[in-house]
Short mmCIF file of all heavy atoms in Angstrom, two decimals:
data_model
loop_
_atom_site.label_atom_id
_atom_site.label_comp_id
_atom_site.label_asym_id
_atom_site.label_seq_id
_atom_site.Cartn_x
_atom_site.Cartn_y
_atom_site.Cartn_z
N ASP I 1 -14.70 6.17 -13.95
CA ASP I 1 -13.35 6.45 -13.55
C ASP I 1 -12.61 5.37 -12.76
O ASP I 1 -11.52 4.96 -13.11
CB ASP I 1 -13.24 7.77 -12.73
CG ASP I 1 -13.37 9.09 -13.65
OD1 ASP I 1 -13.23 8.84 -14.95
OD2 ASP I 1 -13.65 10.06 -13.09
N ALA I 2 -13.39 4.83 -11.71
CA ALA I 2 -12.78 3.79 -10.94
C ALA I 2 -12.51 2.51 -11.78
O ALA I 2 -11.51 1.89 -11.67
CB ALA I 2 -13.70 3.41 -9.76
N ALA I 3 -13.50 2.21 -12.71
CA ALA I 3 -13.28 1.00 -13.46
C ALA I 3 -12.21 1.20 -14.45
O ALA I 3 -11.39 0.34 -14.71
CB ALA I 3 -14.66 0.74 -14.38
N SER I 4 -12.00 2.34 -15.00
CA SER I 4 -10.93 2.75 -15.90
C SER I 4 -9.64 2.67 -15.22
O SER I 4 -8.64 2.01 -15.73
CB SER I 4 -11.13 4.12 -16.41
OG SER I 4 -10.05 4.55 -17.29
N ILE I 5 -9.51 3.19 -14.02
CA ILE I 5 -8.28 3.09 -13.21
C ILE I 5 -7.95 1.63 -12.98
O ILE I 5 -6.81 1.16 -13.07
CB ILE I 5 -8.42 3.91 -11.92
CG1 ILE I 5 -8.43 5.45 -12.30
CG2 ILE I 5 -7.27 3.57 -10.96
CD1 ILE I 5 -8.86 6.29 -11.18
N ASN I 6 -8.97 0.80 -12.50
CA ASN I 6 -8.76 -0.57 -12.22
C ASN I 6 -8.26 -1.35 -13.44
O ASN I 6 -7.30 -2.09 -13.43
CB ASN I 6 -10.06 -1.21 -11.70
CG ASN I 6 -10.28 -0.94 -10.20
OD1 ASN I 6 -9.38 -0.33 -9.51
ND2 ASN I 6 -11.37 -1.40 -9.77
N ALA I 7 -8.94 -1.06 -14.67
CA ALA I 7 -8.42 -1.71 -15.81
C ALA I 7 -7.01 -1.48 -16.14
O ALA I 7 -6.28 -2.32 -16.58
CB ALA I 7 -9.41 -1.31 -16.95
N ARG I 8 -6.64 -0.14 -16.08
CA ARG I 8 -5.23 0.18 -16.37
C ARG I 8 -4.29 -0.49 -15.40
O ARG I 8 -3.17 -0.97 -15.77
CB ARG I 8 -5.09 1.67 -16.35
CG ARG I 8 -5.63 2.42 -17.51
CD ARG I 8 -5.07 3.81 -17.72
NE ARG I 8 -5.44 4.65 -16.51
CZ ARG I 8 -6.47 5.39 -16.27
NH1 ARG I 8 -7.49 5.34 -17.12
NH2 ARG I 8 -6.60 6.04 -15.15
N THR I 9 -4.67 -0.47 -14.04
CA THR I 9 -3.79 -1.10 -13.06
C THR I 9 -3.66 -2.57 -13.28
O THR I 9 -2.55 -3.11 -13.14
CB THR I 9 -4.40 -0.82 -11.64
OG1 THR I 9 -4.43 0.62 -11.39
CG2 THR I 9 -3.50 -1.34 -10.60
N ILE I 10 -4.77 -3.30 -13.64
CA ILE I 10 -4.78 -4.67 -13.93
C ILE I 10 -3.82 -4.99 -15.09
O ILE I 10 -2.92 -5.88 -15.02
CB ILE I 10 -6.08 -5.20 -14.12
CG1 ILE I 10 -6.93 -5.23 -12.89
CG2 ILE I 10 -6.12 -6.62 -14.74
CD1 ILE I 10 -8.41 -5.44 -13.09
N ALA I 11 -3.97 -4.14 -16.16
CA ALA I 11 -3.11 -4.43 -17.38
C ALA I 11 -1.63 -4.19 -17.06
O ALA I 11 -0.74 -4.93 -17.43
CB ALA I 11 -3.54 -3.41 -18.49
N GLU I 12 -1.28 -3.16 -16.25
CA GLU I 12 0.10 -2.88 -15.85
C GLU I 12 0.58 -3.95 -14.96
O GLU I 12 1.71 -4.38 -15.08
CB GLU I 12 0.16 -1.50 -15.09
CG GLU I 12 1.55 -1.01 -14.83
CD GLU I 12 1.57 0.39 -14.19
OE1 GLU I 12 0.60 0.95 -13.95
OE2 GLU I 12 2.63 0.83 -13.80
N PHE I 13 -0.19 -4.45 -14.03
CA PHE I 13 0.18 -5.54 -13.15
C PHE I 13 0.50 -6.76 -13.91
O PHE I 13 1.56 -7.41 -13.77
CB PHE I 13 -1.05 -5.89 -12.22
CG PHE I 13 -0.81 -7.00 -11.31
CD1 PHE I 13 -0.53 -6.70 -9.85
CD2 PHE I 13 -0.83 -8.31 -11.52
CE1 PHE I 13 -0.35 -7.69 -8.93
CE2 PHE I 13 -0.61 -9.37 -10.64
CZ PHE I 13 -0.30 -8.97 -9.29
N ARG I 14 -0.25 -7.12 -14.88
CA ARG I 14 0.04 -8.26 -15.81
C ARG I 14 1.22 -8.12 -16.68
O ARG I 14 1.97 -9.08 -16.89
CB ARG I 14 -1.22 -8.58 -16.50
CG ARG I 14 -2.36 -9.18 -15.65
CD ARG I 14 -3.53 -9.53 -16.45
NE ARG I 14 -4.52 -10.21 -15.63
CZ ARG I 14 -5.85 -10.29 -15.81
NH1 ARG I 14 -6.38 -9.74 -16.91
NH2 ARG I 14 -6.55 -10.90 -14.99
N ALA I 15 1.50 -6.95 -17.13
CA ALA I 15 2.55 -6.72 -18.09
C ALA I 15 3.85 -6.56 -17.32
O ALA I 15 4.99 -6.78 -17.97
CB ALA I 15 2.36 -5.43 -18.73
N ASN I 16 3.89 -6.37 -16.03
CA ASN I 16 5.11 -6.14 -15.29
C ASN I 16 5.20 -7.03 -14.01
O ASN I 16 5.79 -6.73 -13.06
CB ASN I 16 5.11 -4.69 -14.75
CG ASN I 16 5.19 -3.77 -15.86
OD1 ASN I 16 6.13 -3.67 -16.70
ND2 ASN I 16 4.12 -2.88 -16.06
N GLN I 17 4.76 -8.26 -14.18
CA GLN I 17 4.89 -9.28 -13.11
C GLN I 17 4.56 -8.86 -11.75
O GLN I 17 5.17 -9.12 -10.74
CB GLN I 17 6.33 -9.88 -13.07
CG GLN I 17 6.75 -10.58 -14.30
CD GLN I 17 7.19 -9.60 -15.48
OE1 GLN I 17 7.81 -8.64 -15.26
NE2 GLN I 17 6.65 -9.92 -16.57
N GLY I 18 3.40 -8.10 -11.68
CA GLY I 18 2.86 -7.65 -10.44
C GLY I 18 3.27 -6.31 -9.92
O GLY I 18 2.87 -5.83 -8.90
N LEU I 19 4.18 -5.58 -10.72
CA LEU I 19 4.58 -4.29 -10.28
C LEU I 19 3.81 -3.24 -11.07
O LEU I 19 3.65 -3.35 -12.27
CB LEU I 19 6.12 -4.21 -10.54
CG LEU I 19 7.02 -5.12 -9.91
CD1 LEU I 19 8.47 -4.89 -10.28
CD2 LEU I 19 6.86 -4.98 -8.37
N VAL I 20 3.36 -2.14 -10.35
CA VAL I 20 2.74 -1.15 -10.92
C VAL I 20 3.28 0.24 -10.43
O VAL I 20 3.89 0.30 -9.45
CB VAL I 20 1.13 -1.25 -10.70
CG1 VAL I 20 0.59 -2.48 -11.34
CG2 VAL I 20 0.91 -1.11 -9.21
N GLY I 21 2.88 1.40 -11.11
CA GLY I 21 3.25 2.58 -10.79
C GLY I 21 2.09 3.42 -10.18
O GLY I 21 1.15 2.81 -9.67
N GLY I 22 2.05 4.72 -10.38
CA GLY I 22 0.96 5.57 -9.88
C GLY I 22 0.77 5.43 -8.40
O GLY I 22 1.78 5.38 -7.65
N GLY I 23 -0.41 5.42 -7.98
CA GLY I 23 -0.72 5.47 -6.56
C GLY I 23 -0.43 4.26 -5.80
O GLY I 23 -0.31 4.22 -4.53
N PHE I 24 -0.16 3.07 -6.60
CA PHE I 24 0.23 1.89 -6.00
C PHE I 24 1.77 1.59 -6.09
O PHE I 24 2.24 0.53 -5.64
CB PHE I 24 -0.51 0.67 -6.71
CG PHE I 24 -1.93 0.59 -6.43
CD1 PHE I 24 -2.93 0.72 -7.45
CD2 PHE I 24 -2.44 0.37 -5.16
CE1 PHE I 24 -4.27 0.60 -7.18
CE2 PHE I 24 -3.79 0.25 -4.88
CZ PHE I 24 -4.71 0.33 -5.96
N ALA I 25 2.55 2.52 -6.54
CA ALA I 25 3.94 2.32 -6.68
C ALA I 25 4.58 1.93 -5.44
O ALA I 25 4.39 2.61 -4.38
CB ALA I 25 4.59 3.63 -7.33
N GLY I 26 5.33 0.90 -5.45
CA GLY I 26 6.04 0.40 -4.21
C GLY I 26 5.21 -0.40 -3.21
O GLY I 26 5.66 -0.90 -2.29
N ALA I 27 3.88 -0.33 -3.40
CA ALA I 27 2.94 -0.97 -2.42
C ALA I 27 2.72 -2.46 -2.92
O ALA I 27 2.67 -2.85 -4.05
CB ALA I 27 1.66 -0.25 -2.38
N PRO I 28 2.58 -3.32 -1.87
CA PRO I 28 2.22 -4.70 -2.17
C PRO I 28 0.76 -4.75 -2.68
O PRO I 28 -0.14 -4.36 -2.18
CB PRO I 28 2.36 -5.43 -0.91
CG PRO I 28 2.25 -4.38 0.15
CD PRO I 28 2.72 -3.15 -0.45
N LEU I 29 0.70 -5.33 -3.96
CA LEU I 29 -0.54 -5.30 -4.64
C LEU I 29 -0.89 -6.71 -5.14
O LEU I 29 -0.01 -7.42 -5.63
CB LEU I 29 -0.57 -4.36 -5.84
CG LEU I 29 -1.83 -4.09 -6.60
CD1 LEU I 29 -2.77 -3.23 -5.74
CD2 LEU I 29 -1.49 -3.33 -7.91
N LEU I 30 -2.19 -7.12 -5.03
CA LEU I 30 -2.60 -8.28 -5.66
C LEU I 30 -3.82 -8.11 -6.50
O LEU I 30 -4.47 -7.13 -6.34
CB LEU I 30 -2.79 -9.47 -4.51
CG LEU I 30 -3.83 -9.19 -3.53
CD1 LEU I 30 -5.35 -9.41 -3.94
CD2 LEU I 30 -3.62 -10.05 -2.24
N LEU I 31 -4.14 -9.10 -7.40
CA LEU I 31 -5.43 -9.05 -8.09
C LEU I 31 -6.32 -10.04 -7.40
O LEU I 31 -6.03 -11.21 -7.37
CB LEU I 31 -5.20 -9.36 -9.58
CG LEU I 31 -4.28 -8.41 -10.42
CD1 LEU I 31 -4.26 -8.82 -11.84
CD2 LEU I 31 -4.75 -6.96 -10.24
N LEU I 32 -7.43 -9.57 -7.03
CA LEU I 32 -8.45 -10.39 -6.38
C LEU I 32 -9.60 -10.79 -7.30
O LEU I 32 -10.15 -9.84 -7.87
CB LEU I 32 -9.02 -9.55 -5.12
CG LEU I 32 -10.18 -10.24 -4.37
CD1 LEU I 32 -9.66 -11.58 -3.72
CD2 LEU I 32 -10.68 -9.29 -3.35
N HIS I 33 -9.75 -12.09 -7.50
CA HIS I 33 -10.72 -12.58 -8.46
C HIS I 33 -11.89 -13.11 -7.57
O HIS I 33 -11.67 -13.99 -6.66
CB HIS I 33 -10.15 -13.76 -9.25
CG HIS I 33 -9.03 -13.42 -10.13
ND1 HIS I 33 -9.14 -13.30 -11.48
CD2 HIS I 33 -7.65 -13.18 -9.86
CE1 HIS I 33 -8.00 -13.05 -12.02
NE2 HIS I 33 -7.09 -13.00 -11.01
N THR I 34 -13.00 -12.48 -7.71
CA THR I 34 -14.24 -12.93 -7.02
C THR I 34 -15.38 -13.21 -7.94
O THR I 34 -15.28 -12.93 -9.17
CB THR I 34 -14.63 -11.83 -5.98
OG1 THR I 34 -15.01 -10.61 -6.77
CG2 THR I 34 -13.62 -11.50 -5.03
N ALA I 35 -16.46 -13.79 -7.42
CA ALA I 35 -17.71 -14.02 -8.15
C ALA I 35 -18.67 -13.03 -7.57
O ALA I 35 -18.76 -12.87 -6.31
CB ALA I 35 -18.22 -15.41 -8.04
N GLY I 36 -19.40 -12.34 -8.49
CA GLY I 36 -20.41 -11.34 -7.98
C GLY I 36 -21.32 -12.01 -6.96
O GLY I 36 -21.78 -13.16 -7.09
N ALA I 37 -21.70 -11.22 -5.86
CA ALA I 37 -22.41 -11.82 -4.76
C ALA I 37 -23.79 -12.26 -5.24
O ALA I 37 -24.26 -13.36 -4.80
CB ALA I 37 -22.69 -10.74 -3.78
N ARG I 38 -24.54 -11.62 -6.09
CA ARG I 38 -25.75 -12.02 -6.62
C ARG I 38 -25.64 -12.70 -8.00
O ARG I 38 -26.26 -13.58 -8.22
CB ARG I 38 -26.71 -10.86 -6.63
CG ARG I 38 -27.11 -10.37 -5.25
CD ARG I 38 -28.16 -9.27 -5.30
NE ARG I 38 -27.71 -8.06 -6.01
CZ ARG I 38 -27.19 -7.02 -5.54
NH1 ARG I 38 -26.96 -6.86 -4.27
NH2 ARG I 38 -26.84 -6.02 -6.31
N SER I 39 -24.90 -12.07 -8.83
CA SER I 39 -24.87 -12.48 -10.21
C SER I 39 -23.90 -13.63 -10.58
O SER I 39 -24.08 -14.42 -11.48
CB SER I 39 -24.35 -11.33 -11.13
OG SER I 39 -23.06 -11.05 -10.91
N GLY I 40 -22.89 -13.80 -9.64
CA GLY I 40 -21.84 -14.81 -9.98
C GLY I 40 -20.94 -14.46 -11.12
O GLY I 40 -20.04 -15.22 -11.36
N THR I 41 -21.00 -13.27 -11.56
CA THR I 41 -20.18 -12.85 -12.61
C THR I 41 -18.75 -12.63 -12.12
O THR I 41 -18.52 -12.06 -11.11
CB THR I 41 -20.67 -11.37 -13.21
OG1 THR I 41 -22.04 -11.58 -13.66
CG2 THR I 41 -19.88 -10.92 -14.34
#
């Protein structure tokens, strides 16, 4: 569920220049790109 919600939020963010609805509506949101601590993925 969390991965599904994240995937939808990421897609909405990208489609709307950083604006999203739902639980994040009106909140400042960023997409954080990291490398896995062990895997580097």
Side-chain angles (χ1 to χ4, degrees):
D1 283 342
S4 176
I5 291 167
N6 280 355
R8 285 194 307 270
T9 302
I10 290 165
E12 187 177 1
F13 182 101
R14 289 179 171 158
N16 297 298
Q17 296 76 45
L19 300 176
V20 299
F24 289 119
L29 188 72
L30 59 79
L31 298 183
L32 176 61
H33 299 254
T34 63
R38 290 185 303 265
S39 69
T41 301

